[in-house]
Amino acid sequence: MLFKALCPKSPLGLCRRFMGMSNTFQPAMDATTALARERESRVLSIQSHVVHGYAGNKCSVLPLQLHGFDVDFINSVQFSNHAGYSTVLGQKLDDVDLAKLYEGLSTNRINNYTHILTGYCGNVKFLEKITDIVKDLKSKNPDVFYVCDPVLGDNGRYYTPKELLPVYRDVLIPLADVVCPNAFELGELTGLEVTTEAACLQGIDSLHAKGVKTVVVTSGVEGTQTHLRCYASRAEEGELDRYRITFPRLHGQFVGTGDVFAALLLVNLEDSMGDLEKSLRRVLSSMQALIKRTSEHAKQQVEKNPNTMCELRLIQSRLDLLCPIDCPQIMIEKL
């Protein structure tokens, strides 16, 4: 998933919350207070890993830890770097490896989690083992909160095996509390061509019908030259809240933004007690600051060396991940 958005940078030591659709900002906790916050929350994150740069767990673990979550992470793959480079070398875990790791956690009775986060998986058997783990954790604790990023592909093409689709569609997604596909993935999961708002909302309804309470379609629906859109919906206890989110486009495409987004969505849904609008406003404010900083750095790098691959400026944006300044350029409309 690739976000391209624009927002002013955060000044040091200050974070402000944009409330409603007015231009009134209210102060939130400062960075010192935010860092001192203690939680009794532990996340099991199963995603990819890269030694150099940012993708998968390398993107998700830091934001979670900054916000006070303990994170146990399992790397579905360990690669030298992400696939944007000319060469990618490394190792892949298989379902047997994953089963052994989880058996160790279970045997020692340390498989106690409040949250689960899953992302990239390149193997069907591995994904099936993930479903077994999610089912086991849900049986131990029905309140464990599961965020599923069903990584299949983007822009009309797969970059994972197509055999993953039925496992996601029929087994894993019905277990999830939150699903955050892009438009291509939503289309593959629902059998629809998701290129319009109407088709997007229809696809979202299909996921709600599978039992998913919260769906966020992160990108790929009705963008323009100057703005991008995403859609979000929450269905619970007979009530349905839908949102259209519009924000400015910033040129540049960077790997790992979807992994950061999913982690921050988990954080903010907990902090807001499930308030989807507030969560999205904070998440997108963090994302815009991160991408703006990365884009500015990328421009400088390209001017020096056109072949340079620009990684996310994740470490440099840690204050924005923790205490974002909300951007009035973000427009959230209730549908």
Side-chain angles (χ1 to χ4, degrees), residues 195-208:
T195 57
T196 65
E197 179 175 293
C200 181
L201 297 178
Q202 185 181 351
I204 288 172
D205 285 341
S206 295
L207 297 189
H208 283 322

Side-chain angles (χ1 to χ4, degrees), residues 52-335:
H52 173 80
Y54 295 97
N57 275 326
K58 197 83 173 284
C59 287
S60 296
V61 173
L62 175 66
L64 290 166
Q65 291 176 331
L66 275 175
H67 283 273
F69 288 78
D70 274 316
V71 187
D72 291 351
F73 53 95
I74 297 175
N75 299 324
S76 58
V77 298
Q78 178 173 260
F79 290 152
S80 55
N81 42 264
H82 63 64
Y85 293 84
S86 59
T87 300
V88 180
L89 299 175
Q91 302 82 36
K92 300 178 181 180
L93 258 67
D94 60 23
D95 57 305
V96 176
D97 297 323
L98 180 56
K100 287 180 180 179
L101 289 173
Y102 189 69
E103 181 183 357
L105 297 173
S106 301
T107 301
N108 289 299
R109 298 182 180 179
I110 51 178
N111 58 334
N112 301 309
Y113 299 102
T114 56
H115 298 76
I116 309 167
L117 175 61
T118 62
Y120 175 86
C121 170
N123 179 280
V124 173
K125 293 293 185 182
F126 192 93
L127 189 62
E128 290 173 345
K129 182 54 62 176
I130 289 176
T131 66
D132 293 340
I133 291 172
V134 173
K135 287 178 180 178
D136 186 64
L137 293 174
K138 289 270 189 179
S139 68
K140 282 169 51 66
N141 174 17
D143 294 326
V144 67
F145 191 78
Y146 175 32
V147 177
C148 175
D149 182 1
V151 179
L152 294 171
D154 201 359
N155 297 317
R157 67 178 184 88
Y158 277 82
Y159 46 73
T160 60
K162 290 186 178 181
E163 292 77 16
L164 297 179
L165 174 60
V167 182
Y168 273 121
R169 182 189 61 212
D170 302 330
V171 186
L172 198 54
I173 281 178
L175 298 172
D177 297 280
V178 180
V179 177
C180 43
N182 58 41
F184 170 75
E185 291 160 345
L186 180 63
E188 294 300 296
L189 291 167
T190 60
L192 300 169
E193 185 178 357
V194 181
T195 57
T196 65
E197 179 175 293
C200 181
L201 297 178
Q202 185 181 351
I204 288 172
D205 285 341
S206 295
L207 297 189
H208 283 322
K210 292 179 179 290
V212 182
K213 292 180 181 178
T214 301
V215 181
V216 180
V217 182
T218 56
S219 62
V221 184
E222 293 191 338
T224 69
Q225 291 296 317
T226 59
H227 289 80
L228 295 171
R229 278 185 177 171
C230 61
Y231 291 84
S233 180
R234 181 176 176 84
E236 190 171 15
E237 298 179 353
E239 295 187 4
L240 181 65
D241 292 320
R242 295 188 187 280
Y243 300 96
R244 178 197 299 125
I245 306 97
T246 307
F247 48 93
R249 177 192 294 268
L250 178 66
H251 294 290
Q253 297 184 346
F254 307 104
V255 173
T257 52
D259 306 316
V260 181
F261 181 92
L264 290 175
L265 185 61
L266 184 157
V267 168
N268 285 284
L269 284 171
E270 173 161 304
D271 285 350
S272 69
M273 300 180 65
D275 188 313
L276 187 54
E277 182 177 1
K278 286 183 179 179
S279 297
L280 288 169
R281 193 175 292 284
R282 286 185 61 82
V283 171
L284 285 171
S285 294
S286 289
M287 295 303 302
Q288 289 182 326
L290 167 64
I291 295 170
K292 182 175 188 290
R293 182 174 288 106
T294 304
S295 179
E296 291 173 346
H297 181 71
K299 183 178 179 180
Q300 296 171 6
Q301 295 298 104
V302 168
E303 289 173 352
K304 298 176 183 177
N305 181 359
N307 296 318
T308 298
M309 176 63 67
C310 187
E311 300 282 356
L312 286 177
R313 302 291 281 174
L314 194 71
I315 303 302
Q316 295 80 0
S317 302
R318 58 195 182 277
L319 182 63
D320 297 302
L321 302 177
L322 182 64
C323 295
I325 290 182
D326 295 86
C327 301
Q329 296 98 326
I330 299 171
M331 183 171 64
I332 302 181
E333 304 167 86
K334 192 166 185 179
L335 299 177

